[in-house]
């Protein structure tokens, strides 16, 4: 299995991270264990989650995904075989959110307890918190790194100007620096990352682990028109894709998929994996067949003609 270095962390991961948002939600506990076992048995070693997953699901509470992962780690004994990433800063409740020092120091203890581990490999700020001084947030991360509870830090959903300012403060104060970036990035949603973040990520050797690699399922080809969304919970996510450009992208995916005798979603994952500056896309599966397709997507070899066709079809 190919391994890639995650920014300047020294951690090496296979070029696919399992997205833990589905664990304990659309994949029940039993299926979650099967997915995590199959994922790691295939040679993959990076799992991403967050303390808020999956608070949005009826009957679920924040930390559900972390609890499932923790139980799996306890039963499987695979803690030393995976790079474990989670996040802090999303809204759990009115008094549990943001990046205040006191909150981070409490939130990490809650995550460690749920995950049944004494350290987190990559602790990420889930959302920016403009109301909290950057120095306060970094001081909290510094305490955690020095204590060995967190190995490295990263960020998601933060504007580039804020990332630049944060990096300067880290350097000036001797605090840990964000070493990874988790942006939205896929064949359709390219422009923001490529025009705002990619150059900076390359210059500063950030590990880039994008989410929504399949554009909420649009790039699987399952949804070809708004009529296909009837009764689907994805309506609010997919409406923006049904236009001329979206159709052009799906046509290109169909062409490349037919050439390699694979599914369109596999091609979409392989494209993200092959893009400059990308360390590993994050993707989820709710059953073993979907996971098998993700695994095979990583070994799919797209040639220059494939990449050019996909790049041109998705040009912005």
């Amino acid at each position: 299995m190919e391994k890639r270095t995650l920014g300047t962390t020294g951690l090496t991961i296979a070029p696919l991270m399992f997205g833990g948002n589905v664990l304990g939600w659309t994949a029940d506990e039993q299926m979650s264990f099967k997915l995590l076992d199959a994922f790691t048995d295939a040679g993959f070693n990076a799992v991403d989650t967050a303390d808020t997953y999956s608070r949005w699901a009826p009957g679920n509470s924040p930390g559900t995904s972390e609890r499932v992962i923790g139980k799996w780690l306890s039963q499987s004994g695979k803690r030393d075989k995976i790079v474990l990433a989670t996040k802090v800063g999303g809204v759990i409740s009115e008094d549990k959110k943001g990046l205040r020092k006191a909150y981070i120091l409490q939130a990490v203890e809650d995550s460690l307890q749920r995950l049944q581990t004494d350290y987190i490999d990559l602790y990420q700020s889930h959302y920016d918190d403009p109301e909290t001084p950057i120095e306060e947030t970094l001081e909290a991360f510094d305490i955690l790194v020095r204590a060995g509870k967190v190995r490295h830090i990263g960020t998601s959903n933060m504007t580039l100007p804020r990332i630049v300012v944060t990096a300067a403060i880290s350097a000036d104060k001797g605090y840990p620096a964000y070493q990874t970036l988790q942006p939205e990035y896929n064949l359709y949603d390219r422009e923001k990352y490529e025009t705002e973040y990619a150059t900076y990520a390359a210059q500063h050797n950030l590990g880039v682990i994008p989410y929504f690699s399949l554009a909420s399922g649009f790039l699987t080809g399952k949804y070809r028109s708004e009529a296909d969304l009837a009764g689907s919970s994805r309506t609010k996510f997919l409406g923006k894709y049904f236009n001329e450009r979206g159709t052009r992208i799906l046509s290109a995916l169909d062409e490349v998929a037919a050439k390699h005798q694979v599914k369109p979603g596999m091609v979409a994952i392989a494209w993200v994996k092959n893009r400059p500056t990308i360390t590993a896309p994050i993707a989820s599966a709710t059953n073993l067949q979907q996971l098998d397709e993700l695994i095979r997507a990583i070994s799919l070899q797209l040639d220059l003609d494939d990449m050019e066709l996909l790049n041109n079809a998705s040009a912005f």
Side-chain angles (χ1 to χ4, degrees):
M1 174 63 65
E2 175 193 359
K3 291 293 196 297
R4 296 176 173 181
T5 302
L6 187 59
T8 57
T9 64
L11 300 172
T12 56
I13 65 172
L16 175 70
M17 293 189 79
F18 190 92
N21 59 312
V22 299
L23 302 175
W25 175 34
T26 47
D28 63 20
E29 183 178 285
Q30 183 179 19
M31 178 54 68
S32 295
F33 288 5
K34 290 180 180 179
L35 290 167
L36 291 168
D37 278 330
F39 184 74
T40 50
D41 289 347
F44 294 89
N45 67 330
V47 178
D48 176 77
T49 187
D51 58 3
T52 55
Y53 298 164
S54 49
R55 67 183 293 270
W56 55 82
N60 271 15
S61 61
T64 295
S65 174
E66 290 184 334
R67 276 188 288 271
V68 169
I69 293 170
K71 192 171 180 180
W72 172 74
L73 288 173
S74 176
Q75 293 185 8
S76 68
K78 292 183 176 180
R79 178 64 187 93
D80 62 342
K81 299 187 186 318
I82 69 164
V83 171
L84 181 58
T86 192
K87 310 182 196 74
V88 63
V91 177
I92 290 179
S93 65
E94 191 56 37
D95 61 339
K96 292 184 176 182
K97 62 180 180 179
L99 299 174
R100 291 172 289 109
K101 176 183 172 182
Y103 175 61
I104 290 175
L105 296 180
Q106 180 57 57
V108 76
E109 297 298 335
D110 293 341
S111 286
L112 288 168
Q113 183 178 34
R114 288 188 292 260
L115 291 165
Q116 299 190 45
T117 184
D118 55 6
Y119 70 98
I120 294 165
D121 295 294
L122 179 63
Y123 201 39
Q124 304 157 95
S125 57
H126 203 164
Y127 299 95
D128 195 5
D129 179 7
E131 297 180 3
T132 298
I134 294 172
E135 291 89 342
E136 179 179 336
T137 298
L138 291 174
E139 183 183 359
F141 287 141
D142 184 57
I143 291 170
L144 296 178
V145 171
R146 290 178 184 275
K149 295 179 179 181
V150 167
R151 297 181 68 187
H152 306 282
I153 62 170
T155 185
S156 178
N157 302 301
M158 184 175 284
T159 65
L160 182 59
R162 291 278 287 182
I163 292 174
V164 172
V165 171
T166 302
I169 294 172
S170 292
D172 182 57
K173 303 287 188 180
Y175 289 146
Y178 289 137
Q179 297 176 61
T180 63
L181 172 66
Q182 189 173 143
E184 179 178 11
Y185 186 59
N186 56 61
L187 262 170
Y188 190 101
D189 301 294
R190 294 177 55 186
E191 184 173 4
K192 185 178 179 69
Y193 174 73
E194 292 183 16
T195 59
E196 296 182 25
Y197 295 94
T199 298
Y200 182 87
Q203 290 173 343
H204 296 271
N205 195 20
L206 293 181
V208 182
I209 45 177
Y211 65 89
F212 282 178
S213 300
L214 289 172
S216 299
F218 175 73
L219 297 175
T220 65
K222 180 179 178 180
Y223 308 99
R224 301 283 174 158
S225 69
E226 294 192 30
D228 294 332
L229 294 175
S232 172
S233 61
R234 296 176 179 264
T235 302
K236 64 180 180 179
F237 299 109
L238 296 177
K240 68 176 183 178
Y241 298 120
F242 297 114
N243 53 42
E244 182 180 348
R245 181 166 172 263
T247 299
R248 191 166 64 243
I249 291 171
L250 289 183
S251 294
L253 285 171
D254 287 340
E255 184 175 336
V256 177
K259 172 182 170 180
H260 293 276
Q261 297 184 319
V262 296
K263 294 187 176 181
M266 296 168 64
V267 175
I269 292 288
W271 178 87
V272 176
K273 175 219 168 189
N274 289 343
R275 294 295 293 162
T277 73
I278 302 301
T279 306
I282 298 171
S284 303
T286 58
N287 58 58
L288 293 174
Q289 180 182 343
Q290 290 178 359
L291 180 63
D292 179 64
E293 290 173 3
L294 290 178
I295 290 171
R296 289 192 291 126
I298 295 304
S299 61
L300 176 60
Q301 299 297 316
L302 300 181
D303 59 32
L304 293 177
D305 289 340
D306 298 331
M307 292 298 288
E308 182 177 12
L309 176 65
L310 294 166
N311 289 343
N312 291 338
S314 60
F316 50 85

